[in-house]
């Protein structure tokens, strides 16, 4: 059995038929080919599959695809605009916040969700905002510094 | 006072490479192309530690070209020569050496051809810097690497190089444990400040300073990243991470029960790079992967002792264990 699903992902509208047992993560990766979103634990504990759904950061492994019907979703593929990397992506590169890269899409979206709701967060607020996203490589320090540098650049402008 | 602070220090020596006589071999091949760019093939796999970046930098440095001119192909058993596993803190050292040797062979072929074209009697009379081959002491006489490579190929000279590096290791004497099992050795010292909550037994990390001898930091940002990540793993090892086995099963097989440090558990980490020049390493470099994790746990346990005067003899230092020891100390 397949069900109709209407989605807006990274500004593009999709009308697809999906298996109702699928998770949003599966639809993004398998049906839409947006493999930037990674699967980590598959049970909502690591944050790797984070996407922004109607403005809120969610674990896409814990959202059934049909729960996202008519939703507006942002994945890591939608961060860059007109071929130009998002300031967070540039800062991650500059600060060395990417090592194996597996947590990076989720980290970027967790940071984006924070900056969307709080334009000048403190270091503690940044740490809290990414605390649902596990990174085993960096020790988080470079990631926190990358987000801080975007905040500082915004405050200067 | 419910919360007490303390500082601890720990230093380590760590043998890198497989060690104890185990075969430890890395190989690479290099070809310089008509436009002066080069392709490097090696089995060395980048798991996120940054070996791709490091190997590209080594090849670019030796060829005197920018990193954009190096294509690196790794980890394909159909096409790349074996370079061992990404383990034992060995890829920068062993595979870095293999790449360096391979590049030097290809470069020597180019310079040998260049000597005849530029009218120098030995290739040693030439140098290769910033994409240009020139006569030493007479730089007006020069040719671009690209032009020279192009001419060489049309003269039937293939600019191919193969490099293999074998890490020195011997088996220790099984009776005495003596010998020279590893080369090179990594050294490191860390100082950690902790805060112990004497009501709950919870230990917070305030700051960690991690100083490590890496021989030569080929990519300082990557080295600092390796050190910071290792300290984070050391904090997890010291305070949280424990596989709970019961009747052959893992009782805590998920991240809600096997706790990894999150951003909230992390302290300020200050990585310090010490460059001692390892004479057998590529440009003096040796590995940093594992050794940076080792001093963290003993430094934390020493800091806990400094803060509240208790000695933990098992890891992790969970709040339950710390509190138990604090209570028995008071009794």
């Amino acid at each position: 059995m397949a069900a109709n699903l209407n989605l807006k992902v990274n500004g593009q509208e999709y009308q697809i038929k999906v298996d109702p047992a699928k998770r949003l993560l599966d639809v993004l990766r398998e049906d839409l080919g947006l493999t930037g979103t990674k699967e980590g634990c598959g049970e909502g504990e690591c944050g790797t599959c984070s996407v922004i759904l109607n403005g809120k950061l969610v674990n896409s492994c814990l959202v059934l695809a049909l729960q996202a019907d008519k939703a507006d979703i942002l994945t890591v593929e939608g961060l860059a605009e007109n071929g130009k990397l998002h300031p967070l992506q540039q800062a991650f590169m500059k600060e060395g916040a990417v090592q194996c890269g597996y947590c990076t899409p989720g980290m970027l979206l967790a940071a984006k969700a924070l900056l969307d709701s709080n334009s000048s967060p403190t270091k503690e607020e940044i740490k809290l905002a990414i605390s649902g996203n596990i990174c085993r490589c960096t020790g988080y320090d470079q990631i926190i510094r990358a987000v801080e540098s975007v905040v500082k650049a915004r405050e200067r402008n | 006072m419910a919360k007490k602070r303390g500082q601890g220090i720990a230093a380590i020596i760590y043998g890198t490479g497989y060690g104890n006589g185990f075969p430890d071999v890395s190989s690479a091949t290099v070809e310089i192309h008509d436009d002066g760019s080069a392709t490097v093939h090696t089995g060395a796999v980048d798991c996120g530690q940054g070996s791709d970046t490091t190997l590209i930098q080594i090849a670019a440095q030796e060829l005197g070209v920018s990193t954009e001119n190096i294509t690196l192909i790794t980890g394909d058993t159909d096409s790349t020569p074996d370079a061992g596993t990404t383990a034992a803190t060995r890829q920068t050292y062993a595979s870095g050496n293999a790449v360096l040797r391979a590049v030097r062979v290809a470069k020597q072929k180019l310079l040998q051809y260049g000597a005849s074209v530029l009218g120098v009697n030995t290739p040693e009379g030439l140098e290769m810097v910033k994409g240009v081959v020139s006569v030493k002491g007479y730089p007006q006489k020069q040719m671009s690497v690209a032009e020279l490579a192009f001419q060489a190929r049309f003269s039937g000279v293939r600019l191919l190089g193969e490099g293999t590096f074998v890490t020195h290791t011997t088996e220790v004497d099984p009776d005495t444990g003596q010998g020279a099992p590893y080369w090179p050795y990594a050294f490191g010292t860390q100082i950690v400040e902790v805060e112990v909550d004497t009501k709950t037994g919870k230990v917070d990390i305030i700051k960690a300073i991690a100083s490590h001898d890496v021989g030569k930091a080929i990519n300082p940002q990557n080295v600092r990243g390796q050190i910071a990540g290792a300290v984070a793993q050391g904090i997890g090892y010291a305070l949280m991470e424990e596989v709970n086995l019961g009747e052959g099963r893992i009782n805590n097989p998920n991240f809600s029960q096997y706790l990894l440090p999150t951003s909230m558990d992390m302290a300020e980490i200050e990585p310090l790079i010490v460059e001692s020049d390892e004479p057998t390493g590529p440009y003096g470099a040796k590995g940093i992967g594992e050794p940076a994790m080792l001093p963290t746990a003993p430094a934390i346990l020493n800091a806990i002792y400094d803060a509240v005067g208790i000695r933990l003899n098992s890891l992790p230092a969970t709040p339950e264990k710390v509190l138990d020891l604090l209570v028995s100390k008071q009794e």
Side-chain angles (χ1 to χ4, degrees):
Chain A
M1 193 190 87
N4 290 316
L5 176 64
N6 295 293
L7 279 175
K8 192 175 179 186
V9 182
N10 303 330
Q12 194 179 331
E13 306 268 4
Y14 294 92
Q15 270 194 325
I16 53 173
K17 284 194 183 300
V18 299
D19 176 345
K22 274 194 170 183
R23 305 167 298 174
L24 175 59
L25 172 65
D26 305 322
V27 168
L28 290 172
R29 289 181 55 87
E30 295 165 9
D31 296 77
L32 306 186
L34 296 170
T35 52
T37 306
K38 309 296 181 205
E39 175 162 16
C41 65
E43 50 193 35
E45 292 170 349
C46 72
T48 309
C49 64
S50 301
V51 300
I52 296 178
L53 185 147
N54 292 335
K56 278 180 71 179
L57 189 71
V58 297
N59 289 316
S60 62
C61 75
L62 294 186
V63 178
L64 279 171
L66 294 181
Q67 290 177 295
D69 192 36
K70 300 187 177 66
D72 190 347
I73 293 158
L74 182 75
T75 72
V76 71
E77 288 92 343
L79 276 181
E81 278 180 1
N82 305 321
K84 194 164 179 288
L85 290 179
H86 189 276
L88 279 166
Q89 291 171 306
Q90 291 176 20
F92 269 52
M93 284 170 63
K94 187 161 175 288
E95 297 291 336
V98 181
Q99 287 188 29
C100 87
Y102 210 76
C103 75
T104 309
M107 283 290 182
L108 284 165
L109 291 166
K112 168 87 164 52
L114 169 70
L115 296 184
D116 286 349
S117 64
N118 179 354
S119 60
S120 56
T122 63
K123 186 172 184 174
E124 282 308 306
E125 286 170 328
I126 294 169
K127 285 171 92 168
L128 186 63
I130 63 165
S131 63
N133 295 69
I134 290 175
C135 171
R136 193 57 152 164
C137 298
T138 62
Y140 303 100
D141 213 35
Q142 301 90 313
I143 296 171
I144 295 162
R145 272 192 277 124
V147 180
E148 277 183 310
S149 75
V150 173
V151 173
K152 277 185 197 140
R154 280 188 178 184
E155 283 167 355
R156 273 198 302 273
N157 294 333
Chain B
M1 235 217 16
K3 289 187 176 181
K4 291 191 172 173
R5 286 199 179 187
Q7 293 172 344
I9 186 168
I12 59 105
I13 173 172
Y14 180 79
T16 68
Y18 296 140
N20 204 28
F22 196 83
D24 194 335
V25 182
S26 273
S27 292
T29 60
V30 172
E31 178 164 15
I32 302 171
H33 304 297
D34 290 0
D35 59 355
S37 70
T39 301
V40 179
H41 283 83
T42 177
V45 171
D46 193 330
C47 304
Q49 85 280 21
S51 59
D52 282 1
T53 308
T54 302
L55 298 178
I56 286 171
Q57 282 183 261
I58 289 170
Q61 176 78 24
E62 193 60 22
L63 283 173
V65 298
S66 63
T67 50
E68 289 78 19
N69 290 307
I70 307 295
T71 300
L72 180 74
I73 295 166
T74 65
D76 181 345
T77 49
D78 278 345
S79 66
T80 58
D82 185 29
T85 54
T86 295
T89 309
R90 61 179 292 284
Q91 289 298 16
T92 293
Y93 179 73
S95 298
N97 267 326
V99 168
L100 187 58
R101 287 181 177 191
V103 171
R104 280 182 179 158
V105 172
K107 181 179 167 181
Q108 186 65 12
K109 288 180 181 168
L110 182 66
L111 291 180
Q112 245 156 16
Y113 177 76
S116 65
V117 174
L118 289 166
V120 187
N121 59 352
T122 66
E124 284 72 34
L126 294 174
E127 63 185 354
M128 202 161 143
V129 183
K130 288 184 179 167
V132 173
V133 176
S134 60
V135 178
K136 282 181 190 167
Y138 185 37
Q140 294 90 329
K141 200 156 192 188
Q142 58 165 249
M143 219 170 157
S144 74
V145 171
E147 179 62 23
L148 198 59
F150 181 74
Q151 279 195 25
R153 195 170 67 78
F154 277 89
S155 306
V157 178
R158 274 307 283 287
L159 303 171
L160 282 167
E162 192 273 337
T164 289
F165 182 81
V166 182
T167 299
H168 165 75
T169 171
T170 50
E171 203 175 341
V172 295
D173 185 313
D175 293 328
T176 64
Q178 295 297 300
Y182 296 99
W183 197 265
Y185 287 90
F187 304 91
T189 299
Q190 294 183 9
I191 299 172
V192 180
E193 182 172 17
V194 302
E195 187 172 80
V196 182
D197 188 325
T198 55
K199 280 187 180 161
T200 64
K202 186 170 183 292
V203 178
D204 283 327
I205 309 296
I206 305 299
K207 182 170 181 175
I209 300 172
S211 171
H212 289 272
D213 168 21
V214 298
K216 169 79 184 172
I218 291 183
N219 187 307
Q221 187 177 62
N222 277 3
V223 172
R224 281 193 290 272
Q226 286 276 283
I227 294 174
V231 170
Q233 294 195 10
I235 290 172
Y237 176 52
L239 299 181
M240 306 167 183
E241 297 180 38
E242 186 170 33
V243 175
N244 176 358
L245 286 170
E247 296 180 1
R249 296 170 70 93
I250 294 174
N251 292 328
N252 56 343
N254 38 41
F255 294 132
S256 59
Q257 294 167 303
Y258 180 97
L259 299 183
L260 298 176
T262 72
S263 52
M264 298 302 283
D265 301 304
M266 288 311 297
E268 183 189 348
I269 303 171
E270 189 179 334
L272 298 175
I273 295 171
V274 177
E275 294 187 321
S276 63
D277 186 22
E278 166 51 43
T280 64
Y283 296 109
K286 57 187 174 184
I288 184 59
E290 297 156 294
M293 195 196 120
L294 303 180
T296 313
I300 288 172
L301 295 194
N302 285 339
I304 293 171
Y305 177 76
D306 186 45
V308 291
I310 58 166
R311 281 281 175 206
L312 284 116
N313 296 313
S314 74
L315 291 175
T318 57
E320 293 87 344
K321 281 189 207 167
V322 171
L323 200 56
D324 272 354
L325 285 169
L326 282 172
V327 169
S328 37
K329 186 178 168 247
Q330 278 171 352
E331 281 166 1

